[in-house]
C-alpha cells in the first residue's frame, strides 16, 4: 500500500528532510486500523508501504500500531537527526533512517466510546471490598508498564494511556492514577470481577491502593508469588504459603475465575464442577453459584474459608462477606480439612477472633427483619444457600498455649451468618474437635453455623459429633465453651423441620455453668438490637418448630433443644430423646448445673418467656412428621432419619496429619517415626503415607533409625555431593555394604525388595534368611531379595501384597517403610538390643 506525498519538512539548501509530520492512526466503523494524512506542498518523500502490525478488528482498551516505510524524493535525503512527529493521541517511533529511506511505527489506543460502564462496574465491586488495600499482600505476578505515548513523548502529559482505575475513596467518584514502571499484579483476570468491561484486565497496586488496568498496558508479565499458581493446583497445605501469608495454617491459593458455565447472576449462576472452581468463589463474593458435581477437597490441604484468610481471622486482611448465593443442587462437598495443632494461634495478638468453616461470613441483603415479619422466611426465593451437603470433613484444632483472650467460632457451613435463608443443607460423616489449654478462650460451635442473626434454617440437619477437651482433662475454668447441634448463638432466627443426631461434649466448668453448655439445636438466644424485648408474636422473635434431637449432650448445662434465651423464644412441636449428662456444681461453690429435655427454664436470664406452648416427645403432630417403625418414634418427612443412611463420622486423625487415620496400618509407626526423628510430615498437616520413596529416602530412614552414625570413608560416588540431603546416609550405606557401585542414583524410586534388603542388613539378620522360605511366587530362590523377603515375613516386618505375591518391584511408600522400621525394632530386641524397643513399653 502506498500513501503518496506525506508532509515533511526539508532544508532547501541541502535538500535534507529533517522531519516527517504525523499521520492520523484511527479505527474505521468496522474497528479496522486506518492510517490517513493531509497533503502538504513541502512534502519531499513518499510512503512506499504501510504494514498494520495489529490486525483488526481491534478490541476496546488495546494498543494497535502501523509501520510506514518512507522513501525520499529524487534530490532529497533524510537528515541524520530526522524527527518523526506525533499527532493527537498517536505516538511515533523512528525505527531506522538512512539517506533515502526511513521507517516509522505509529501507535494509537482504542477506547470505549462510553467509559461510564467501566467506572460503575468498579464502583459495584468496591462496595463489596471496601477494606481492600495492597498493604501486606504479595502479588501473584509482576510486569512492566507499556505506554508508547509516555515512552516516546514523555513531555506530553495530556494523554498517557497506562493509568490505573483505582478503588475510589468515595464511591461516587472513580479517580485515575498513574501506573508504576514496575507493575505488581494481584489478579490476572480482573475483568471477571467487574462488570461492563471488555478484554483482559489486571488488578494492580497504585501506592497502597488497589485498582484495575487493561492488560494491554502491561508487558513482560512473569508469574510467581505467595498466592500460588494461577492455574490453581489442587494439592498442598498452608505450609506452602509464602510472602504475606507465610506460616499461616490455611492454604492461600489463587484459582482462575473461570467456571463450567453461567454468568454469575441469580438467574444464570456460575456453574461449579471442581475444587478449583469452588475456591474461585472467594474472588466474586457477590455473585451467584451452582454446583453441577460433587466436590472433593480431601487433597486440597487446610481449607481457607470462602471470604476468610489463611489465619482464619474474622475480619482481617482479604476477608469479605459472601453476599451472593450457592445452590448445592443436591451435591456434596466432601473432605474439607482444617487441622491446626500448633498450640498457639498464628499471629496471636492481645485479642483475636478466629473463624472456621466452608464460609467465613454469609449475609443476604434481601432477607431482612421486615421480611421475617411478613413470613417471607417461608419463601424459597430468599434462599442463599440450599440443597447442599458437607460430608466427611475434619475440623481439628489444638490451642493449648493461648496467652490472650480469644474468640473462636466454628461451623461446618459457616462461622457467621446474618440475614440469610438456608434450606435442605446438612453436615454428616465429619467431626469438629477442639483441644484447649491456657488463656481464656471463648469457643462457640454450631453443627452448621456458629453465630447467626436474623436468619432462617429450614429442612436442615447435623449428624456429626462436636467434642471439646482441655489438655489435662480439667474443668474449663475461665473459658467459655458452648456448642449446639445446628447453631451455637442466634438472634431472631427461625428454625423449622431441623434435627441433630450428633453427640456434643464440652468440658465441665468450674465458675458459672453457662461456661460449658451443650444443646441439641441452639445454645443461646441473644438480646439482639430490635426495640423492645418481649411481647412479639411467633414471627417477631425466634421460633423453633418441628425440630428434634437424638444426640447425647454432655456438659455443665445440657439441654435437648435450647439453652439460655434473653428474649422470647417459641418452641412448638419439638422433642429430644438424647441422653443428658451433667456435673453438679453446688458443692463446689459454683453455679449449679442443670438439664432439660427441651430447654433451660431459668427465669434468672429472662429466658423462654413465650416457650410455654412447647410439646414434648411423643406428642408431636402435623403434616411435617411420619412414624418410623424401625426407630419407634416420629421423624421428619423432609429428611426421614431412618432412610438417610447417615454417614459415620470420619476416623480420628493421628499426629495432626489429615491423611493418617487412627485405624490405618501405619498410624503407630508414623507417630514413632516422628518422635524418633526418622522423618517429618511432607507438610505441617500431611504425612503422605502413599507417596513413593526414593533410594535416598529409604537408606536415610534406615540410617536414622540406627542413630545416624557418622560415615568414615571418602565419597565413592560420582553422582553424590556434600550438598545432597542423603550424603551421609549414602556414604554410610556404602561403608556397611548395603549398597555398592560408583553411581548411587539417590532420587530413583526404591522398590519393596530393595527396602527390606537394606533393613535386613541394617538389623544384622543377613545370616538367617537363607534358612527360611516365604513361598512367594514372584520371589524365587534366585532373586537377590529372596533372603531378605524370607526374613521380613518370618520376623513379621511385612507380608506380601497378596497371599502368594510379595510385589518386590513395586515402589515402597512412606507408610510402608516407617511400618517396616517400626516392626523391625522388635527383632532387634530379640537380639538383645533392648534400647531399641523402649519406646514401645
Amino acid at each position: 500500500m502506498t500513501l503518496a506525498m506525506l508532509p515533511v519538512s526539508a532544508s532547501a539548501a541541502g535538500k535534507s528532510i529533517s522531519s516527517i509530520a504525523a499521520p492520523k492512526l484511527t479505527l474505521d466503523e468496522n474497528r479496522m486500523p486506518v492510517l490517513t494524512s493531509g497533503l502538504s506542498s513541502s512534502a519531499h518523500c513518499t510512503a512506499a508501504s504501510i504494514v498494520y502490525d495489529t490486525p483488526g478488528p481491534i478490541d476496546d482498551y488495546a494498543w494497535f500500531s502501523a509501520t510506514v516505510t518512507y522513501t525520499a524524493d529524487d534530490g532529497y535525503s533524510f537528515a541524520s537527526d530526522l524527527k518523526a512527529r506525533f499527532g493527537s493521541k498517536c505516538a511515533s517511533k523512528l525505527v531506522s533512517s538512512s539517506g533515502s529511506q526511513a521507517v516509522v511505527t505509529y501507535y494509537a489506543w482504542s477506547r470505549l466510546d462510553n467509559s461510564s460502564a467501566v467506572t460503575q462496574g468498579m464502583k459495584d465491586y468496591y462496595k463489596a471490598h471496601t477494606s481492600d488495600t495492597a498493604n501486606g499482600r504479595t502479588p501473584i505476578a509482576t510486569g512492566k508498564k507499556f505506554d508508547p505515548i509516555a515512552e516516546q513523548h514523555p513531555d506530553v502529559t495530556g494523554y498517557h494511556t497506562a493509568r490505573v482505575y483505582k478503588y475510589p475513596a468515595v464511591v461516587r467518584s472513580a479517580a485515575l492514577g498513574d501506573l508504576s514502571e514496575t507493575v505488581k499484579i494481584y489478579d490476572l483476570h480482573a475483568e471477571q470481577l467487574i462488570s461492563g468491561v471488555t478484554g483482559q484486565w489486571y488488578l494492580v497496586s497504585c501506592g497502597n491502593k488497589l485498582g484495575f488496568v487493561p492488560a494491554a498496558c502491561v508487558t513482560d508479565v512473569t508469574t510467581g508469588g505467595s498466592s500460588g499458581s494461577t492455574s490453581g493446583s489442587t494439592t498442598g497445605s498452608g505450609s506452602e504459603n509464602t510472602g504475606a501469608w507465610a506460616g499461616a495454617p490455611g492454604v492461600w491459593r489463587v484459582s482462575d475465575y473461570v467456571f463450567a458455565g453461567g454468568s454469575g447472576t441469580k438467574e444464570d449462576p456460575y456453574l461449579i464442577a471442581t475444587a478449583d472452581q469452588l475456591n474461585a468463589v472467594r474472588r466474586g463474593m457477590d455473585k451467584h453459584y451452582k454446583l453441577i458435581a460433587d466436590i472433593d477437597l480431601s487433597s486440597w490441604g487446610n481449607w481457607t474459608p470462602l471470604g476468610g484468610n489463611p489465619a482464619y481471622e474474622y475480619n482481617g486482611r482479604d476477608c469479605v462477606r459472601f453476599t451472593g448465593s450457592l445452590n448445592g443442587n443436591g451435591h456434596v462437598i466432601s473432605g474439607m480439612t482444617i487441622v491446626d495443632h500448633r498450640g498457639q494461634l498464628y499471629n496471636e495478638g492481645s485479642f483475636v477472633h478466629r473463624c472456621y468453616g466452608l464460609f467465613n461470613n454469609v449475609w443476604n441483603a434481601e432477607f431482612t427483619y421486615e421480611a421475617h415479619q411478613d413470613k417471607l422466611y417461608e419463601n424459597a426465593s430468599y434462599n442463599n444457600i440450599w440443597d447442599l451437603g458437607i460430608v466427611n470433613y475434619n475440623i481439628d484444632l489444638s490451642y493449648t498455649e493461648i496467652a490472650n483472650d480469644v474468640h473462636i467460632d466454628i461451623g461446618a457451613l459457616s462461622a457467621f451468618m446474618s440475614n440469610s435463608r438456608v434450606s435442605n443443607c446438612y453436615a454428616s460423616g465429619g467431626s469438629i474437635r477442639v483441644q484447649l489449654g491456657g488463656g481464656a478462650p471463648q469457643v462457640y460451635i454450631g453443627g452448621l453455623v456458629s453465630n447467626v442473626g436474623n436468619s432462617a434454617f429450614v429442612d436442615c440437619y447435623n449428624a456429626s459429633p462436636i467434642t471439646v477437651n482441655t489438655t489435662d482433662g480439667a474443668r474449663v475454668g475461665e473459658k467459655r465453651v458452648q456448642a449446639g447441634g445446628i447453631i451455637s448463638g442466634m438472634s431472631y432466627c427461625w428454625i423449622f423441620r431441623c434435627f441433630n443426631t450428633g453427640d456434643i461434649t464440652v468440658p465441665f466448668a468450674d465458675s458459672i455453668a453457662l461456661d460449658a453448655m451443650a444443646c441439641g439445636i441452639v445454645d443461646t438466644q441473644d438480646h439482639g438490637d430490635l426495640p423492645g424485648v418481649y411481647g412479639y408474636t411467633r414471627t417477631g422473635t425466634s421460633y423453633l418448630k418441628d425440630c428434634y434431637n437424638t444426640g447425647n449432650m454432655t456438659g455443665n448445662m445440657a439441654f435437648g433443644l435450647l439453652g439460655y434465651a434473653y428474649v422470647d423464644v417459641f418452641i412448638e412441636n419439638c422433642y429430644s430423646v438424647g441422653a443428658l449428662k451433667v456435673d453438679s456444681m453446688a458443692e463446689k461453690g459454683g453455679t449449679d448445673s442443670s438439664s432439660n429435655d427441651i430447654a433451660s427454664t431459668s427465669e434468672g436470664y429472662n429466658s423462654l418467656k413465650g416457650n410455654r406452648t412447647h410439646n414434648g416427645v411423643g406428642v408431636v403432630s402435623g403434616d411435617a412428621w411420619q412414624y418410623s417403625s424401625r426407630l419407634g418414634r416420629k421423624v421428619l418427612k423432609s429428611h426421614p432419619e431412618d432412610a438417610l443412611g447417615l454417614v459415620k463420622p470420619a476416623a480420628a486423625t493421628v499426629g495432626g496429619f489429615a491423611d493418617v487415620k487412627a485405624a490405618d496400618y501405619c498410624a503407630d509407626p508414623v507417630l514413632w517415626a516422628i518422635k524418633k526423628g526418622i522423618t517429618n510430615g511432607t507438610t505441617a498437616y500431611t504425612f503422605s503415607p502413599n507417596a513413593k520413596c526414593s533410594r535416598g529416602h529409604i537408606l536415610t530412614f534406615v540410617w536414622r533409625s540406627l542413630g545416624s552414625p557418622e560415615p568414615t570413608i571418602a565419597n565413592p560416588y560420582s553422582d553424590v555431593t556434600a550438598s545432597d540431603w542423603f550424603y551421609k546416609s549414602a556414604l554410610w550405606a556404602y561403608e556397611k555394604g548395603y549398597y555398592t557401585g560408583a553411581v548411587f542414583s539417590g532420587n530413583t524410586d526404591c522398590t519393596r525388595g530393595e527396602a527390606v534388603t537394606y533393613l535386613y542388613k541394617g538389623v544384622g539378620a543377613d545370616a538367617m534368611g537363607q534358612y527360611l522360605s516365604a513361598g512367594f511366587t514372584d520371589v524365587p530362590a534366585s532373586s537377590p531379595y529372596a533372603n531378605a523377603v524370607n526374613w521380613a515375613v518370618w520376623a513379621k516386618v511385612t507380608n506380601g501384597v497378596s497371599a502368594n505375591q510379595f510385589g518386590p518391584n513395586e515402589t515402597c511408600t512412606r507408610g510402608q517403610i516407617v511400618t517396616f522400621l517400626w516392626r523391625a525394632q522388635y527383632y532387634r530386641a530379640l537380639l538383645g538390643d533392648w534400647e531399641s524397643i523402649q519406646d514401645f513399653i
Side-chain angles (χ1 to χ4, degrees):
M1 176 179 179
T2 300
L3 182 63
M5 302 300 290
L6 286 171
V8 300
S9 175
S11 169
K15 295 185 178 181
S16 176
I17 303 172
S18 59
S19 64
I20 303 175
K24 183 178 181 181
L25 182 59
T26 186
L27 299 176
D28 64 15
E29 65 275 9
N30 296 317
R31 303 192 67 83
M32 303 297 290
V34 177
L35 191 62
T36 64
S37 177
L39 298 178
S40 171
S41 58
S42 61
H44 298 288
C45 69
T46 301
S49 68
I50 299 176
V51 176
Y52 292 104
D53 305 309
T54 312
I58 306 299
D59 293 333
D60 291 317
Y61 289 93
W63 289 102
F64 61 102
S65 61
T67 299
V68 181
T69 300
Y70 296 97
T71 57
D73 292 347
D74 292 341
Y76 288 85
S77 63
F78 293 107
S80 59
D81 57 349
L82 177 67
K83 299 284 193 302
R85 295 180 179 176
F86 58 92
S88 174
K89 301 178 182 179
C90 179
S92 60
K93 179 179 181 180
L94 181 63
V95 178
S96 64
S97 174
S98 63
S100 60
Q101 181 175 284
V103 180
V104 181
T105 296
Y106 299 96
Y107 297 89
W109 178 248
S110 168
R111 294 190 299 170
L112 285 169
D113 294 333
N114 181 6
S115 62
S116 61
V118 175
T119 301
Q120 186 59 47
M122 293 170 191
K123 288 181 180 180
D124 292 341
Y125 186 79
Y126 171 73
K127 292 177 182 179
H129 301 79
T130 55
S131 62
D132 282 11
T133 69
N135 291 335
R137 300 182 65 164
T138 301
I140 64 172
T142 57
K144 296 179 180 179
K145 179 175 75 172
F146 181 68
D147 186 344
I149 293 179
E151 178 184 350
Q152 300 300 320
H153 315 292
D155 54 324
V156 177
T157 58
Y159 188 72
H160 287 181
T161 306
R163 313 195 80 177
V164 181
Y165 290 80
K166 291 196 296 186
Y167 290 159
V170 181
V171 174
R172 63 175 178 269
S173 66
L176 290 176
D178 290 328
L179 187 64
S180 303
E181 293 298 324
T182 298
V183 183
K184 296 179 180 179
I185 304 171
Y186 300 88
D187 197 310
L188 291 167
H189 291 282
E191 75 278 0
Q192 296 162 339
L193 307 179
I194 50 178
S195 60
V197 300
T198 58
Q200 185 177 4
W201 286 67
Y202 295 153
L203 177 66
V204 303
S205 58
C206 184
N208 69 336
K209 298 290 185 180
L210 293 173
F212 303 99
V213 69
C217 294
V218 184
T219 189
D220 295 340
V221 175
T222 57
T223 59
S226 69
S227 298
S229 168
T230 58
S231 64
S233 167
T234 59
T235 61
S237 73
S239 64
E240 295 177 345
N241 298 339
T242 57
W245 291 119
V251 170
W252 190 243
R253 181 178 298 127
V254 174
S255 295
D256 286 340
Y257 198 68
V258 178
F259 298 93
S263 59
T265 65
K266 183 178 291 187
E267 297 75 19
D268 183 32
Y270 285 129
L271 303 181
I272 295 175
T274 67
D276 270 305
Q277 290 168 358
L278 178 65
N279 185 56
V281 169
R282 68 182 74 252
R283 297 174 57 185
M285 295 289 283
D286 58 345
K287 305 300 181 184
H288 301 270
Y289 304 90
K290 179 180 179 180
L291 298 188
I292 60 172
D294 293 343
I295 306 299
D296 183 5
L297 297 177
S298 59
S299 298
W300 189 267
N302 266 0
W303 179 254
T304 294
L306 296 172
N309 64 31
Y312 299 103
E313 295 171 322
Y314 166 63
N315 195 25
R317 185 173 63 247
D318 296 315
C319 292
V320 181
R321 290 189 302 187
F322 179 66
T323 60
S325 68
L326 175 61
N327 176 2
N329 196 28
H331 291 287
V332 299
I333 297 173
S334 64
M336 177 179 69
T337 299
I338 303 176
V339 177
D340 189 5
H341 287 185
R342 66 182 62 210
Q344 292 183 328
L345 287 165
Y346 170 81
N347 199 26
E348 182 181 336
S350 58
F351 177 80
V352 293
H353 193 168
R354 297 290 194 258
C355 297
Y356 306 85
L358 179 67
F359 286 90
N360 180 54
N361 192 356
V362 177
W363 182 77
N364 182 0
E366 297 179 0
F367 195 56
T368 63
Y369 173 72
E370 288 72 22
H372 286 170
Q373 291 287 68
D374 294 332
K375 294 189 176 182
L376 294 182
Y377 53 80
E378 296 177 344
N379 188 339
S381 66
Y382 282 92
N383 277 334
N384 56 325
I385 301 180
W386 69 100
D387 295 348
L388 176 65
I390 311 296
V391 302
N392 300 332
Y393 57 93
N394 180 27
I395 301 176
D396 190 347
L397 310 174
S398 180
Y399 297 134
T400 58
E401 301 173 15
I402 295 175
N404 301 297
D405 292 338
V406 175
H407 191 126
I408 295 174
D409 284 277
I410 308 171
L413 183 60
S414 183
F416 272 75
M417 182 173 290
S418 59
N419 290 30
S420 298
R421 187 180 192 274
V422 178
S423 69
N424 197 29
C425 292
Y426 63 92
S428 181
S431 65
I432 298 174
R433 305 181 187 89
V434 180
Q435 187 90 352
L436 297 175
Q442 299 182 49
V443 181
Y444 304 96
I445 307 173
L448 289 178
V449 183
S450 174
N451 195 304
V452 183
N454 210 43
S455 298
F457 285 71
V458 181
D459 297 323
C460 298
Y461 69 88
N462 170 60
S464 299
I466 298 170
T467 305
V468 184
N469 290 308
T470 54
T471 52
D472 56 1
R475 301 179 186 280
V476 69
E478 296 302 319
K479 308 166 184 64
R480 170 171 291 189
V481 182
Q482 297 177 352
I486 304 296
I487 297 169
S488 178
M490 70 176 180
S491 176
Y492 301 102
C493 292
W494 284 257
I495 304 176
F496 298 157
R497 300 188 300 275
C498 294
F499 71 90
N500 170 66
T501 65
D503 293 343
I504 299 177
T505 302
V506 300
F508 296 126
D510 61 5
S511 54
I512 62 171
L514 185 62
D515 284 347
M517 184 159 54
C519 304
I521 303 295
V522 185
D523 277 322
T524 57
Q525 159 67 45
D526 295 329
H527 289 288
D529 56 1
L530 298 177
V533 176
Y534 304 112
Y536 286 110
T537 64
R538 283 174 175 78
T539 58
T541 64
S542 291
Y543 188 15
L544 276 66
K545 181 180 180 182
D546 297 324
C547 297
Y548 72 94
N549 167 64
T550 66
N552 301 318
M553 303 294 114
T554 302
N556 242 95
M557 308 292 284
F559 302 111
L561 298 174
L562 170 70
Y564 282 103
Y566 297 89
V567 297
D568 293 4
V569 177
F570 288 86
I571 302 177
E572 182 176 351
N573 240 23
C574 300
Y575 75 83
S576 175
V577 293
L580 306 177
K581 181 180 179 181
V582 298
D583 183 31
S584 177
M585 295 296 298
E587 70 277 12
K588 303 177 180 67
T591 303
D592 199 5
S593 56
S594 65
S595 65
N596 188 288
D597 283 338
I598 299 298
S600 167
T601 57
S602 171
E603 293 295 337
Y605 290 92
N606 296 321
S607 73
L608 304 175
K609 186 160 183 160
N611 81 334
R612 292 166 176 78
T613 60
H614 75 72
N615 295 312
V617 63
V619 295
V620 293
S621 61
D623 293 339
W625 301 89
Q626 65 185 30
Y627 183 76
S628 168
S629 58
R630 184 168 71 86
L631 298 177
R633 52 182 169 81
K634 288 187 177 182
V635 296
L636 292 169
K637 290 181 180 179
S638 58
H639 290 95
E641 180 189 348
D642 51 353
L644 289 176
L646 297 179
V647 182
K648 293 182 179 180
T653 57
V654 169
F657 297 125
D659 54 359
V660 181
K661 303 299 189 293
D664 289 348
Y665 77 95
C666 61
D668 289 335
V670 165
L671 290 176
W672 169 80
I674 298 297
K675 180 180 179 181
K676 295 285 287 184
I678 293 172
T679 185
N680 293 313
T682 52
T683 71
Y685 312 107
T686 57
F687 184 80
S688 303
N690 297 319
K692 295 180 179 180
C693 285
S694 66
R695 179 173 295 128
H697 285 127
I698 298 295
L699 282 171
T700 299
F701 293 169
V702 173
W703 174 67
R704 289 173 179 167
S705 73
L706 297 174
S708 304
E710 285 290 326
T712 60
I713 63 170
N715 185 357
Y717 303 113
S718 61
D719 62 340
V720 176
T721 66
S723 61
D724 290 324
W725 55 269
F726 48 75
Y727 176 73
K728 288 187 177 182
S729 60
L731 269 62
W732 168 83
Y734 190 95
E735 182 179 0
K736 296 298 182 180
Y738 299 165
Y739 187 83
T740 59
V743 178
F744 183 67
S745 300
N747 294 316
T748 300
D749 287 350
C750 186
T751 66
R752 283 168 49 87
E754 290 174 320
V756 295
T757 299
Y758 299 148
L759 188 56
Y760 173 61
K761 295 178 179 180
V763 298
D766 53 340
M768 64 177 300
Q770 57 186 316
Y771 303 111
L772 304 169
S773 177
F776 293 119
T777 59
D778 57 353
V779 187
S782 60
S783 170
Y785 312 131
N787 290 344
V789 170
N790 293 338
W791 165 82
V793 174
W794 173 83
K796 300 187 183 303
V797 170
T798 183
N799 292 311
V801 295
S802 69
N804 60 358
Q805 298 280 313
F806 181 77
N809 297 319
E810 294 183 11
T811 303
C812 189
T813 66
R814 285 171 52 83
Q816 289 173 350
I817 187 57
V818 296
T819 302
F820 296 170
L821 289 167
W822 181 71
R823 292 171 179 168
Q825 304 310 300
Y826 290 102
Y827 179 80
R828 291 175 60 195
L830 292 176
L831 299 181
D833 184 4
W834 292 104
E835 183 179 351
S836 67
I837 202 172
Q838 64 182 353
D839 292 322
F840 297 93
I841 58 178

